[in-house]
Amino acid sequence: MAPASDDTIQLPASTSADSSSRRLFAREKSVHELLGGGLLGDVLLWRKKHLSASVLGIATLIYVLFEWCGYTVLSVFCNSFLLITIVLFVWSLGASFTNRPPPRIPELQLSEKTVQDVAHTVQLQFNNAVGAFRSIVLERNYVLFLKAAAGLWLLSTVGSWTSLLTLLYIGVIVAHIVPFVYDKYEDKIEHYMKVAVSEGKKQYSKVDEMVVKKIPRAAKEKKSE
């Protein structure tokens, strides 16, 4: 009986280890957990289909109003708020004459913790950006310089093709498609991603040996001379 009990204890551990090792970067969290594990993950993975469809519908409506119809943010906001105010005012006025309850308006308030969390997130992102910039300029981080230059060039090229609103709308659509497809076909995608990462590392090592590593050496030789 003792060997059987040992086998039953070891099986779950080996199974969990194998499942985490099969994932890219040996991650242990699921796609839903990586997306926050809450309402955001449910929406992006289409676990709440009505809410996911509503978000896409609202994003499409905003895109059509601003990009195709030519409305501005200020005009849409003011006209929408004016319409809501008029409707609620007439409703409340009519309720006072007909002895009916007035419209229920929820008390929406930002908590101090929410404001602090947002400010803390903005602070971290700003400090990381400044730290990366200092590393490029002062520490002569050639790898980070090449990555930043390639990223900025790519953003500049894509920005010349389309507007910022179109990019945001495409981002919303991609955010509703990519996590869902990845979660559904995770095993197949992980296999191809591992092959691509392995090939990318090989190509990066070649570039690093041929180009990047030669730049600091040349600078040091000039200083020694």
Side-chain angles (χ1 to χ4, degrees):
M1 296 297 292
S5 62
D6 293 339
D7 293 338
T8 55
I9 293 174
Q10 294 176 358
L11 280 175
S14 61
T15 303
S16 61
D18 294 339
S19 61
S20 62
S21 62
R22 285 197 302 267
R23 293 174 176 173
L24 194 63
F25 307 119
R27 59 179 177 84
E28 298 180 356
K29 294 183 178 180
S30 63
V31 178
H32 186 262
E33 291 174 343
L34 290 176
L35 293 174
L39 182 61
L40 179 62
D42 294 336
V43 172
L44 296 182
L45 294 177
W46 290 83
R47 297 185 179 181
K48 295 184 177 180
K49 297 182 180 179
H50 296 289
L51 187 57
S52 301
S54 300
V55 172
L56 274 182
I58 293 174
T60 303
L61 178 61
I62 293 174
Y63 178 73
V64 171
L65 287 176
F66 292 143
E67 192 69 17
W68 288 0
C69 298
Y71 286 96
T72 61
V73 177
L74 184 60
S75 63
V76 171
F77 175 78
C78 292
N79 291 330
S80 300
F81 193 73
L82 176 62
L83 178 62
I84 294 173
T85 303
I86 293 174
V87 171
L88 293 179
F89 177 77
V90 173
W91 185 357
S92 178
L93 187 62
S96 62
F97 288 105
T98 58
N99 293 326
R100 292 184 178 181
R104 296 180 179 179
I105 302 177
E107 295 184 2
L108 300 177
Q109 295 181 353
L110 287 176
S111 63
E112 185 178 354
K113 183 178 182 303
T114 302
V115 176
Q116 290 178 351
D117 292 340
V118 173
H120 181 65
T121 303
V122 173
Q123 178 190 10
L124 289 178
Q125 296 299 327
F126 179 80
N127 291 339
N128 291 335
V130 174
F133 182 75
R134 289 177 58 86
S135 178
I136 293 174
V137 176
L138 300 180
E139 300 177 8
R140 298 178 179 84
N141 191 331
Y142 298 100
V143 176
L144 187 58
F145 168 75
L146 293 176
K147 291 180 179 179
L152 292 175
W153 175 82
L154 180 62
L155 288 176
S156 176
T157 303
V158 174
S160 63
W161 294 341
T162 183
S163 62
L164 177 61
L165 183 60
T166 303
L167 290 178
L168 293 176
Y169 181 63
I170 293 175
V172 172
I173 296 178
V174 171
H176 280 77
I177 295 177
V178 174
F180 173 75
V181 175
Y182 179 80
D183 185 61
K184 189 174 182 179
Y185 303 101
E186 182 175 358
D187 293 335
K188 294 181 180 179
I189 294 176
E190 286 284 343
H191 172 70
Y192 291 112
M193 286 181 65
K194 287 181 179 179
V195 174
V197 169
S198 178
E199 185 64 25
K201 288 181 178 179
K202 292 180 182 178
Q203 298 299 326
Y204 176 77
S205 62
K206 292 180 180 179
V207 175
D208 187 52
E209 290 289 338
M210 296 174 60
V211 180
V212 179
K213 288 187 176 180
K214 291 182 179 180
I215 299 176
R217 292 176 182 175
K220 290 181 179 178
E221 289 176 358
K222 289 182 180 180
K223 289 182 179 179
S224 63
E225 292 176 358

